[in-house]
Amino acid sequence: MNDTANPLLQDWTGPHGLPPFRDIKPEHFAPAFELAMREQLAEVDAIANQPEAPTFENTVQALDRCGRLFSRIELVFSNLTASETSPALQAVEREMAPRLADHDNRLFMHEGLFRRLDALHGRRGALGLDEEDLALLERLHLDFVLYGAKLAPPARRRYAEITKELAELTTTFAQNLLAEEAGWVLPLRGEADLAGLPDSVRAAARGAAAERGLGPDAAAITLSPSLAEPFLTFSARRDLRERVWRGRTERGAHDGAHDNRPIAARIVALRQEQAALHGHRTYADYALSDRMAQDTAAVLDLLRRAWEPAKRRADEDRQALTRTARQLGEPVPIAAWDWRYLAEKVRQREYDLDDAELKPYFALDNMIAAMFDVAGRLFGLKFIEQPDPPLYHPDVRLWEVRGRDDALVGLFLGDNYARPTKRSGAWMSVYRSQSGHGGGTLPIVVNNNNFAKADPTLLSFDDVRTLFHEFGHGLHGLLSQVRHERLAGTRVLRDFVELPSQLFENWALEPQVLQRHARHHRTGEPIPPALVDKLLRARQFDQAWATIQYTGPALIDMALHSLEHGTKVDIAQFEAQQRQLLGVPEDIGQRHHLAHFQHLFAGGYAAGYYVYMWAEVLEADAFDAFTEAGDPFHGDTAQRLLRHIYSAGGRQHPGAAYRAFRGRDAGVESMLRKRGLTGS
């Protein structure tokens, strides 16, 4: 292909440098990557081979600046393969996975480059660097070390082989999961199958059926959480609830072409070897060397402080649910596909709170306006939607983001709906990172959700929290103010990156935010204060179930990645053994099972699913700062939050950044209190 005909290799002249989405085709990526990889390696050779002695400017800063073309193409590629893929794009993804891993190997194991970087790192205290420059030097040096730059040549060669195989396996794992999710559908045939479902879920089910071509009057349930979870909550059809629950639970665990169990086992074996090459006893030890937690004991201590109290509290909740099941004529003992359904009945009775009563006040457009309003009141941001943006799917929306002085801060893309070409879950990413390069680059941030599309799209409150959570990540990317791209935005330690996202969820429950934006989608009336009060009173309801659903998989993740090198593992057998050892309640189960646990096997969270609770300790304590100030939008507190957390990227160690904001370290008590587990 002629380079001049490849849009990935041309100047991007769209608004604010947006990628030319409508011109990009799958066949453009491989030749563009080949050219970009050659260009970046030539830049790296030039840095390594220059005759001048290494300095911060000619080595560290130059390394942070190099590879602009490669980075630009890679970001478009990784985003499209997650958000809007196709068989052709998946084929390119499989083809490129080992080649991209090989490129990383050649970069991070470049002896000449690392020799210069290592020399500077060895005398970093004498270089007179400011805080951010020193942070960049230490971050890049650790990146190279963790990638094997210090290994002996035979170990480096084996390490490179491992990374290439891991790239192929993680790609296959993710594609298998997408295939299973996209291929599963439960048609609802007639009123009997719709029994118990509120209008909002029925509308979403009709939308899902229409998207899959099942006919204009058909309805269907998919495995998207925004459709499957409301079905499990409201459906009066126990047999259909079981089918949906099993569909979600058994993803990736079916014999055949999409069986992820042997793939996960091979990934674990390679990670064990990877850690051993670095001199670590386990992969968890290797991974935690670059986290706030630092060691397995600290992680397990945190998780267990929530696990046992949650199980005790769940015993009490189970009694209430069992009584309700008997009253309704449902079978006992209850099963995992009954818990949400019965818990909703108990919540309606004890708190006079019905999720179906809440949903009409949580239209997606109103909740987007709410999160923008919070960002404006905290940080002075304004969001101006752009009409008919030239993006990759008609459902995606684009906003210019401007600051108090009306200067452009960045671009924000909202990709909110589930579709078969999009992986499940919710995540934030960037098409361009903020940096000080070339006079400054403005971020292009995207939030991906998987809400069930309807007219209008009405959210559960869990969906609202997800929307705010991902926007917290989005703000972390948009508000970044650092000079060096490797330190920008969300490129911080994994157990710190969830602080800005989980913290932002708190404003979704602020009464003044709800009064302003939670308006009935038909009448426009604000949510009644009495309903807000009920929502606030019910915050801790069923938290034992939620804690067990999350903490069980986090503990299993740590156990799996704490196996020593050479320990063979049968994924299904190991998980069953761990469930028994932990005492995972059968009627609660787990949010994730290993065969579909994308966080671990295709998402960068191996030995790291604990990070959500680690960050929850921080965010619960952080929001207390606003509570103590007596104002959820307290100006001075918001400015400290912006300066030390949202805009700071990785220019400071996370612990120091948190202390600069809060004046002290966080304690676990606020988190346990928030979950209602302090008295258990």
Side-chain angles (χ1 to χ4, degrees):
M1 178 180 294
N2 190 321
D3 292 349
T4 60
N6 191 328
L8 293 168
L9 299 175
Q10 308 309 307
D11 290 336
W12 293 353
T13 58
H16 309 300
L18 272 173
F21 290 110
R22 294 177 182 176
D23 298 329
I24 296 171
K25 295 180 171 56
E27 60 266 27
H28 291 141
F29 281 104
F33 268 127
E34 288 302 323
L35 189 148
M37 288 189 291
R38 288 197 304 271
E39 182 179 290
Q40 185 176 25
L41 288 172
E43 291 176 292
V44 167
D45 285 340
I47 296 170
N49 297 330
Q50 60 188 307
E52 294 82 12
T55 66
F56 178 82
E57 290 75 16
N58 71 19
T59 300
V60 182
Q61 201 167 35
L63 178 58
D64 191 60
R65 285 197 304 262
C66 85
R68 297 296 90 208
L69 179 61
F70 177 81
S71 175
R72 186 175 79 162
I73 295 167
E74 196 278 330
L75 286 170
V76 173
F77 183 67
S78 62
N79 276 298
L80 290 182
T81 55
S83 300
E84 180 60 6
T85 194
S86 65
L89 194 56
Q90 288 183 318
V92 178
E93 189 179 20
R94 291 191 297 272
E95 174 196 352
M96 290 306 304
R99 292 159 69 181
L100 292 173
D102 187 57
H103 176 69
D104 284 345
N105 289 330
R106 295 173 69 186
L107 172 64
F108 285 104
M109 296 183 187
H110 195 295
E111 290 188 41
L113 178 59
F114 183 67
R115 192 179 304 117
R116 295 176 70 90
L117 196 59
D118 197 39
L120 289 169
H121 186 263
R123 54 188 182 89
R124 60 193 180 279
L127 297 177
L129 301 178
D130 67 19
E131 181 180 54
E132 185 175 336
D133 289 349
L134 179 61
L136 178 65
L137 171 56
E138 292 181 336
R139 180 67 262 172
L140 288 175
H141 185 267
L142 184 57
D143 287 343
F144 276 69
V145 170
L146 291 173
Y147 221 96
K150 279 192 167 183
L151 299 178
R156 278 208 304 272
R157 287 192 292 273
R158 177 56 190 151
Y159 197 86
E161 293 170 357
I162 290 171
T163 58
K164 287 177 69 173
E165 187 175 355
L166 282 172
E168 294 176 288
L169 291 168
T170 55
T171 298
T172 302
F173 187 98
Q175 290 191 358
N176 283 350
L177 184 56
L178 179 61
E180 290 239 319
E181 291 172 343
W184 195 99
V185 64
L186 174 66
L188 301 179
R189 308 183 190 284
E191 185 59 32
D193 287 359
L194 296 165
L197 300 183
D199 290 344
S200 60
V201 180
R202 292 175 179 229
R206 286 193 294 271
E211 181 153 16
R212 283 156 180 77
L214 301 182
D217 299 320
I221 300 300
T222 69
L223 296 182
S224 171
S226 286
L227 194 51
E229 290 175 5
F231 186 83
L232 290 169
T233 300
F234 294 109
S235 174
R237 286 287 301 274
R238 188 173 192 260
D239 58 331
L240 298 184
R241 293 201 309 267
E242 180 179 358
R243 287 176 63 183
V244 171
W245 181 87
R246 292 194 182 281
R248 281 196 54 78
T249 300
E250 296 169 359
R251 290 170 293 158
H254 300 107
D255 293 337
H258 300 139
D259 188 353
N260 271 339
R261 291 167 294 185
I263 294 170
R266 179 60 179 160
I267 290 172
V268 170
L270 290 171
R271 286 174 177 164
Q272 291 174 3
E273 186 179 358
Q274 192 177 31
L277 287 171
H278 280 286
H280 289 285
R281 188 178 62 85
T282 70
Y283 184 82
D285 292 338
Y286 165 69
L288 290 168
S289 68
D290 192 26
R291 304 259 176 84
M292 289 183 74
Q294 285 293 296
D295 60 54
T296 305
V299 173
L300 295 179
D301 177 65
L302 172 64
L303 294 174
R304 286 168 179 159
R305 289 186 69 175
W307 178 249
E308 294 302 332
K311 286 201 296 181
R312 290 193 293 271
R313 180 62 59 85
D315 288 340
E316 301 171 17
D317 294 344
R318 183 177 296 104
Q319 294 174 25
L321 267 58
T322 300
R323 287 194 298 271
T324 301
R326 288 196 173 102
Q327 292 164 3
L328 295 172
E330 294 272 338
V332 293
I334 63 175
W337 48 90
D338 299 323
W339 192 288
R340 287 178 184 267
Y341 177 73
L342 295 170
E344 180 63 17
K345 301 297 184 187
V346 173
R347 186 169 75 145
Q348 290 173 15
R349 183 179 69 241
E350 295 189 1
Y351 294 93
D352 191 23
L353 185 63
D354 183 346
D355 198 56
E357 182 185 9
L358 286 170
K359 266 195 167 185
Y361 293 97
F362 293 141
L364 175 59
D365 283 351
N366 289 352
M367 293 301 98
I368 291 172
M371 71 187 195
F372 287 169
D373 182 32
V374 172
R377 295 172 73 181
L378 287 171
F379 306 125
L381 297 179
K382 292 175 287 188
F383 295 79
I384 301 98
E385 186 161 13
Q386 305 301 295
D388 191 30
L391 301 176
Y392 55 88
H393 191 279
D395 285 342
V396 186
R397 299 164 68 180
L398 174 70
W399 290 265
E400 284 186 355
V401 185
R402 296 187 176 273
R404 285 192 172 91
D405 58 358
D406 206 41
L408 187 66
V409 171
L411 299 181
F412 177 70
L413 283 68
D415 186 349
N416 286 313
Y417 297 121
R419 52 182 175 268
T421 53
K422 184 182 187 182
R423 74 170 174 86
S424 64
W427 68 98
M428 167 268 187
S429 187
V430 299
Y431 281 94
R432 185 173 65 213
S433 180
Q434 180 272 330
S435 78
H437 297 157
T441 57
L442 295 178
I444 301 176
V445 170
V446 59
N447 272 180
N448 287 274
N449 291 295
N450 268 285
F451 303 136
K453 188 177 181 181
D455 185 20
T457 296
L458 303 179
L459 305 182
S460 69
F461 191 72
D462 281 347
D463 288 336
V464 174
R465 288 181 57 193
T466 297
L467 184 74
F468 272 62
H469 177 102
E470 295 307 329
F471 190 58
H473 282 309
L475 289 174
H476 200 186
L478 287 165
L479 292 168
S480 177
Q481 287 294 322
V482 298
R483 298 191 303 276
H484 308 306
E485 184 171 295
R486 180 59 185 87
L487 304 177
T490 57
R491 300 184 73 178
V492 297
L493 298 191
R494 183 71 75 178
D495 41 11
F496 190 69
V497 75
E498 297 298 335
L499 168 60
S501 54
Q502 292 182 198
L503 177 59
F504 199 75
E505 292 178 34
N506 287 277
W507 281 278
L509 265 174
E510 275 302 312
Q512 56 183 287
V513 174
L514 293 171
Q515 282 292 309
R516 182 181 293 191
H517 296 286
R519 293 180 173 271
H520 197 283
H521 72 97
R522 288 201 182 97
T523 67
E525 291 296 313
I527 189 169
L531 192 52
V532 175
D533 289 343
K534 293 177 190 177
L535 183 62
L536 293 172
R537 285 201 309 273
R539 274 184 294 188
Q540 293 179 351
F541 175 72
D542 218 21
Q543 274 297 305
W545 175 87
T547 301
I548 289 168
Q549 280 255 308
Y550 161 77
T551 311
L555 286 163
I556 292 171
D557 166 33
M558 292 306 298
L560 181 67
H561 288 103
S562 294
L563 298 174
E564 296 188 15
H565 180 217
T567 307
K568 294 186 181 300
V569 61
D570 177 292
I571 288 294
Q573 186 180 69
F574 178 84
E575 185 168 26
Q577 290 170 344
Q578 288 299 312
R579 286 168 58 86
Q580 187 173 15
L581 285 171
L582 291 169
V584 176
E586 289 295 328
D587 53 6
I588 293 179
Q590 304 160 214
R591 185 162 185 81
H592 299 290
H593 289 259
L594 292 176
H596 64 246
F597 208 164
Q598 189 158 249
H599 282 80
L600 306 193
F601 297 111
Y605 281 79
Y609 195 57
Y610 78 90
V611 302
Y612 295 96
M613 185 166 283
W614 189 276
E616 190 178 347
V617 171
L618 299 176
E619 68 85 5
D621 183 75
F623 195 71
D624 281 350
F626 287 92
T627 303
E628 292 159 12
D631 180 359
F633 297 99
H634 187 257
D636 289 345
T637 307
Q639 281 303 303
R640 290 201 316 276
L641 184 64
L642 174 63
R643 183 165 63 253
H644 298 298
I645 307 296
Y646 278 93
S647 73
R651 67 170 168 244
Q652 191 176 24
H653 186 275
Y658 188 83
R659 286 188 292 275
F661 163 65
R662 195 69 170 101
R664 56 170 173 74
D665 289 323
V668 71
E669 291 76 17
S670 292
M671 181 274 289
L672 294 173
R673 186 170 60 250
K674 191 173 180 180
R675 283 182 175 261
L677 301 176
T678 51
S680 298

